Each structure stands twice: as C-alpha cells, then as structure tokens.
C-alpha cells in the first residue's frame, strides 16, 4: 500500500509583505515584495510528506508559472517531495485555467490523491481544488483540518491528519464547517484542499536543500497541453480598500464605558 | 432569459440566515439582468424549508431526496448544475459560508463557468454585472468581470441586507438524478459546537480574545454574556487549541460586521483585521500601546484585559 500524491506549490507574495495597489489600478506594486510558496500549499506539501512517511509512496509537486516558480518547487523538494513538474506559463491565469492544467497533469501522472491549498493568499479565490474535482468527476474534501490541536501530541509526532483506511482505498478527512467539525470519507482518487489547522509545515533542512538540487524537475509548456488558458475571470481594476481612521485612546474603563454608552450608544 | 439562481443553505430544518443575504444579492442581479430570481434548496425532508423560502417571493425549486440528506458537494453540485440549465440561469450564487465555498466552485466546474468568490458588491452597467471582491487578505479590492455565459459567485453575507418577506413564490420539485450507489463521498459524522450564545456572524456584539488571554477566555466569555454577545478569537488563540476553530475571526475564518466589536488581547494582524474591520464600532483592549489594532479601533484602552474586562462587565451590570 503506497500513495502517489500530487501537490501544488504556487508562488505568491509573502503574507508579511505590504501590498499596495499601483496608482493606475492595473496591478500591485511588486518592488520590495518578497515571494514564497502559498502557505496553504505548504500545509498540503507537509500533509503529503506525512502520508508518504506513514504509508510509503511518492510526492510530486506541481507549479504553474515562469522560471521563478521553480523556486517554489525546489522549496517543496527541499522539504522532502520526490520530484517536480513546472508547467510553464506567462501571464495571468484564473482557477478555470489552473484546474484545466492540473487536470492534464493528473491524467499524465494518475496519482491516488491530489492535495492543494484551499486558496492562494494572493487572489483568495478558493476555487481551484473544487473546480479540478468537478473536471475529473472526483470526490472532494475541502478545508481539511483535524480534531487534535496544533499543540497536540499527534502534531508533535507528525501524524498525518488525513487518515487512510486499512484497505488503502479511501481517506477520512476532518473538515472545518460552520457550526462544527465534519468528517467525510472519500474514495481514492480524490481531491483534498487544506485549511490552516491540518498541520504545521516543517522547515527544509540543509541536507534537504542540497538533495533538492539533484531531484528531477520536469518542465511542460502549458500552451502544449491543449487547454484554453485565456482568463475567464477578468480583473478590470484594483483599488485600495477604504481605510478606517483610528479613533481615540481612552484613559480607563470608566471613560470607555461612557463613550460606548453616551457617544456610540452601542451598550 | 437571464435568470438568477441562488442556492439556499438549510440546516436542521431551518434556513441559514446567510441565505437571506444571498437572496438580496440575487435580487439585485436579477433586477440588473431583467431575469427572474430562482432559489434552489437541497436536502431530505425539506418541504417546510422550501415553503419558508417561497415567502421571500422567489421561485423555489426543492430537490428533496435521501441522497441529499448531507451537504456533500459531490451529490449536490450536479443537481444545482442541472437546475441552473433548466431555469436558464446566467448567474448562480450562494452565501460565502463553508457550504457555499465548498459547493459553488464545483458547480462552476460542472457548468464550465467562471466564478467570483466572496463578492462584496456589484458594479458595471445594466445587465453587464461586474463583481467587487477582496484579494490579498482584503488589502486590495478588485473589480472582476466573468467572461463565460454562466457566471457563478458567492457573496459575503455582511455586505448585503437580509431579504425581506415579500409575496409568495411557487414551490416546484427539482429533478434529482444522483445515484447514491455511485457516490464516492461518504458522510461520516458531525460534531456540533454547541453554544447558547448568538451565532458569530449574526451577533449584534462580538467580544474576541487573542494571544493576550494566554488561553484563559473566562473574562472574554463573561463580558460576552453580559452583553449577550458572540465570542470570537484570533487565529493565534485557535491555533493554540484554546478555543474551537468555529470562533476564528479573520480572512481565513469568519468575517463579521457587528455593531460593536471588542478585541481583547489581540494585536491586530492583517489577517484578523480583514475579518472584522467592517464592524461599526471597534474597541481594543491591549497591554501593548503599539499594537496595530489601535490604529483602527474607535476606542482604544491600554490595559490588562484581565482587569479591564471584568470592570467593564461590572459597569454594564450596574447600568441596567
């Protein structure tokens, strides 16, 4: 019983970077912005590695983009993924296009499981995984989490949160939903998207980084896959959200209460 | 016809409130396109829910079948997609709840439709509806157009008013051609986070705690109960396992916009601010005078929450 797992590693702006819109609204200012792997994808890579460590198998990491996206694939290889696939594409891509490309990669690789971040922290669309599952008519389990906390013993031991059935044919996934926590069992192959509390991703070790340089990184041309890539989600204009001006500092609880009661009239 | 189909969400025989906000959004789009507003409700034994929805004046389509008992996207998506084709919908929407965010992209995939997530409002002219939505954790607002014949969207409930009862729509039975035996998703259980407090996204007041609580939410909860408020938390508090994940307020948690939001021991990471900056009045209580939360709080109090919150609760009690 071993699992062949396909994971994604999208290159995004570092969440710690300050994001500013260009004056003409055509994009964001990229000067001085750092880039890294989408944090939700890091969780996906980590989960794939834990599953592989427990059950055996192979972790393949895919990214779509230009030269620089290879950096994110190498980062996942340094964490421990086995090989990478860079699908070369320049220019904007929406979840319709991303899922079309990933569906082609799926057909070539025939993995047992695809794990993606639930959303990328740049365009925050939260669609690619579900869209991919729809294209491939595969079961989906989005927003994967686990019942144990990130401070738990299971987490310390790097136990996978996704639980493979004894026969290796299905996966139990705990999901965060409104009002509680739900468990789904999906038959493999399946598509899973990761939420924040599934795991704490590992850091790459120095030997891991050295080894990653020698791992296979295959390149494909998106244009050669026979899929339509022109964005259907067309971004017309970006703008800064209305800023909220800070108010006043109050000296003590007495003053806070009188402001809330007398001025804002909310209590 | 340029009709609009809104997917309702029901739980335990009741319509989720977020659906009423999605209905308003749907009505706005229908007004623009000149189409009719349709509502899909899926489940098992949902007759009363369908009747209730008809009271909002939309054409209700009830997909009532055992195979739809649980909200499995694999089972629900083909029913919604089929219905969207049957009613000739150009726009298919839902509230951006966990249910909507799971289901609608799969529906979009089946319809090969482009989708806008977490829509805050509509733009464009006439029937050419564009969608305003947040990107980069709410640091950027984008206006997007969807260039496919069918357009799918989810809306942030707090940005649209709840629909009011008006007229009486017809309830018709929707086709369900999903074979339970062919499903490869099995519902294996649900653990409800029970609370006597109001629902976080629907509460008039929210009291939230963060790292500054050091895991002790008692003062947060006591103040919340004094105010009949919901309890929220920052990601740090949830990640530490101090409180249920259902309490998380933020871009990746719940987005709230109550009349009063009290942030106690929360520094104010961008991620958290994205989930609460739409609140009418924001109060911050933090020991650190340089905490970023003070930059957007209407009233900031530099104090130890373990002293300030009980004192505030006491004052509230006495003022009654």
């Amino acid at each position: 019983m071993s699992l062949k797992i396909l994971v994604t590693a999208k290159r995004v702006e570092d969440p710690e970077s300050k994001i500013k819109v260009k004056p003409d609204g055509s994009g964001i200012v990229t000067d001085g912005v750092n880039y890294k792997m989408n944090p939700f994808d890091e969780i996906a890579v980590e989960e794939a590695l834990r599953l592989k460590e427990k059950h055996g198998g192979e972790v393949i990491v895919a990214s779509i983009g230009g030269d620089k996206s290879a950096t994110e694939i190498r980062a996942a290889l340094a964490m421990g993924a086995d090989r990478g696939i860079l699908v070369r594409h320049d220019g904007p891509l929406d979840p319709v296009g991303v899922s079309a490309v990933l569906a082609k990669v799926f057909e070539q690789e025939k993995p047992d499981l695809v794990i993606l971040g639930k959303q990328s922290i740049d365009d925050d669309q939260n669609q690619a995984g579900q869209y991919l599952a729809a294209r491939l008519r595969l079961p989906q389990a989005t927003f994967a989490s686990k019942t144990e906390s990130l401070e738990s013993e299971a987490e310390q031991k790097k136990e996978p949160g996704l639980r493979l059935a004894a026969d290796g044919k299905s996966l139990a996934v705990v999901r965060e939903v409104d009002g509680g926590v739900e468990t789904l069992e999906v038959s493999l192959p399946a598509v899973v998207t990761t939420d924040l509390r599934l795991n704490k991703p590992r850091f790459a070790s120095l030997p891991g980084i050295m080894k990653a340089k020698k791992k296979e990184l295959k390149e494909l041309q998106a244009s050669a896959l026979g899929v339509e890539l022109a964005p259907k989600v067309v971004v017309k204009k970006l703008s800064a959200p209305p800023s909220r001006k800070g108010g006043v500092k109050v000296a003590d609880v007495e003053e806070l209460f009188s402001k809330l009661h007398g001025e804002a009239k909310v209590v | 016809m340029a009709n609009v189909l809104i997917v309702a969400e029901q739980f335990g025989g009741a319509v989720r409130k977020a659906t009423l906000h999605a209905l308003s959004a749907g009505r706005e789009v229908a007004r623009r396109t000149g189409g009719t507003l349709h509502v899909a409700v899926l489940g098992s034994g949902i007759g009363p829910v369908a009747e209730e929805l008809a009271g909002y004046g939309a054409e209700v389509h009830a997909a009532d079948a055992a195979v739809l008992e649980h909200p499995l996207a694999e089972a629900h998506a083909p029913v919604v997609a089929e219905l969207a084709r049957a009613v000739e919908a150009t726009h298919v929407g839902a509230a951006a709840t966990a249910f909507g965010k799971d289901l609608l992209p799969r529906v979009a995939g089946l319809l090969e439709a482009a989708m806008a997530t977490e829509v805050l409002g509509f733009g464009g002219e006439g029937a050419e509806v564009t969608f305003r939505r947040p990107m980069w954790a709410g640091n950027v607002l984008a206006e997007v157009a969807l260039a496919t014949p069918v357009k799918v969207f989810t809306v942030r409930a707090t940005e649209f008013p709840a629909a009011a009862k008006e007229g009486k729509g017809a309830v018709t039975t929707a086709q369900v051609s999903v074979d339970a035996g062919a499903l490869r998703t099995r519902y294996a259980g649900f653990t409800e986070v029970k609370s006597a407090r109001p629902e976080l996204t629907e509460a008039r007041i929210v009291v939230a705690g963060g790292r500054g609580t050091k895991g002790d939410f008692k003062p947060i909860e006591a103040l919340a109960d004094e105010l009949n408020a919901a309890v929220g938390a920052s990601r740090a508090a949830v990640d530490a396992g101090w409180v249920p994940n259902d309490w998380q307020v933020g871009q990746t948690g719940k987005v709230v916009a109550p009349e009063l939001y009290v942030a106690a021991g929360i520094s104010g990471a961008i991620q958290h601010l994205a989930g609460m900056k739409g609140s009418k009045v924001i109060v911050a209580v933090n020991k650190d005078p340089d905490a970023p939360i003070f930059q957007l709080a209407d009233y900031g109090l530099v104090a130890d929450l373990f002293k300030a919150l009980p004192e505030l609760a006491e004052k509230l009690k006495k003022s009654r």
Side-chain angles (χ1 to χ4, degrees), chain A residues 51-62:
Chain A
L51 285 166
K52 181 194 151 184
E53 282 153 9
K54 182 159 180 166
H55 306 288
E58 185 184 25
V59 176
I60 307 155
V61 53

Side-chain angles (χ1 to χ4, degrees), chain A residues 9 14 21 23 25 37 53 78 85 87 98 101 105 114 117 130 132 145 156 165 167 174 220 236 241 259:
Chain A
D14 187 318
V21 178
M37 193 195 309
E53 282 153 9
I85 300 171
V87 184
V98 168
V101 168
V105 174
V114 187
Q130 298 92 312
L132 175 68
S145 184
Q156 307 288 330
D167 65 3
V174 171
L220 301 173
K236 313 267 282 189
K259 292 275 191 199

Side-chain angles (χ1 to χ4, degrees), chain B residues 72-91:
Chain B
L72 303 178
E74 190 193 6
H76 280 48
V79 178
V80 175
E82 211 169 306
L83 191 56
R85 289 192 194 100
V87 304
E88 297 177 16
T90 53
H91 293 78

Side-chain angles (χ1 to χ4, degrees), chain B residues 199-217:
Chain B
E199 218 278 305
L200 193 51
T201 54
E202 293 162 7
R204 195 180 74 83
I205 301 177
V206 174
V207 183
R211 208 186 293 275
T213 63
K214 297 187 179 71
D216 179 4
F217 261 61

Side-chain angles (χ1 to χ4, degrees), chain B residues 103-197:
Chain B
L103 177 62
L104 271 277
R106 189 172 178 111
V107 171
L110 295 179
L111 294 169
E112 292 184 35
M115 172 170 175
T117 300
E118 196 107 33
V119 170
L120 311 174
F122 304 108
E125 306 232 328
E128 295 301 313
V129 178
T130 60
F131 304 82
R132 265 200 314 279
R133 57 174 306 268
M135 303 212 299
W136 285 281
N139 288 303
V140 175
L141 291 181
E143 185 181 353
V144 303
L146 301 178
T148 45
V150 180
K151 298 138 179 49
V152 175
F153 61 96
T154 54
V155 298
R156 183 177 286 179
T158 54
E159 299 293 322
F160 296 88
K165 295 255 180 192
E166 58 177 274
K168 179 85 182 151
V171 176
T172 52
T173 304
Q175 192 72 25
V176 180
S177 49
V178 178
D179 173 11
L183 282 186
R184 283 173 298 162
T185 317
R186 198 177 78 80
Y187 194 80
F190 177 68
T191 313
E192 194 177 352
V193 179
K194 282 211 161 79
S195 172
R197 299 195 184 97

